[in-house]
């Protein structure tokens, strides 16, 4: 590794340690809010049981999302964002099955 790259890496790690300790502010911070499952479901016009079936989760899980006791993560959050953006794509794919 070139000395310049190594020095930049060391500097970056020192900055990260300062940020983690609270000695320095982060230069950027990203906040990703979880999708609103209830609003998305209502946008589709589906009942809780129909939407839970579409998402392949239990009704209880969907209710927890809708009441903000839990937040969808990973693939479920990604699918909710797809349904929010293009509900016809997901609904049409389900009708074809």
């Amino acid at each position: 590794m070139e000395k310049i790259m190594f020095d930049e890496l060391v500097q970056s790690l020192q900055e990260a340690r300062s940020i983690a300790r609270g000695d320095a502010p982060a230069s950027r911070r990203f906040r990703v809010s979880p999708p609103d499952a209830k609003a998305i479901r209502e946008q589709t016009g589906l009942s809780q049981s129909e939407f839970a079936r579409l998402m392949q989760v239990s009704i209880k899980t969907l209710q927890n999302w809708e009441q903000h006791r839990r937040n969808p993560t990973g693939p479920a959050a990604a699918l909710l964002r797809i349904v929010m953006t293009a509900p016809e794509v997901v609904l049409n794919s389900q009708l074809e099955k």
Side-chain angles (χ1 to χ4, degrees), residues 71-84:
N71 291 317
T73 59
L79 182 55
L80 279 169
R81 291 188 195 285
I82 292 169
V83 173
M84 179 176 64

Side-chain angles (χ1 to χ4, degrees), residues 20-35:
R21 288 181 177 170
D23 298 334
S27 61
R28 295 174 260 193
R29 182 167 258 156
F30 297 95
R31 296 205 191 281
V32 179
S33 57

Side-chain angles (χ1 to χ4, degrees), residues 20-92:
R21 288 181 177 170
D23 298 334
S27 61
R28 295 174 260 193
R29 182 167 258 156
F30 297 95
R31 296 205 191 281
V32 179
S33 57
D36 185 350
K38 185 174 184 178
I40 295 168
R41 178 182 62 80
E42 289 175 344
Q43 173 187 337
T44 65
L46 297 176
S47 68
Q48 282 185 335
S49 61
E50 292 168 330
F51 196 73
R53 195 169 31 256
L54 172 74
M55 294 294 298
Q56 296 186 3
V57 298
S58 71
I59 293 174
K60 205 66 162 161
T61 296
L62 178 61
Q63 290 170 343
N64 283 331
W65 292 346
E66 289 189 357
Q67 296 170 11
H68 305 287
R69 289 189 296 251
R70 297 260 190 239
N71 291 317
T73 59
L79 182 55
L80 279 169
R81 291 188 195 285
I82 292 169
V83 173
M84 179 176 64
T85 305
E88 67 283 350
V89 172
V90 178
L91 294 173
N92 289 341

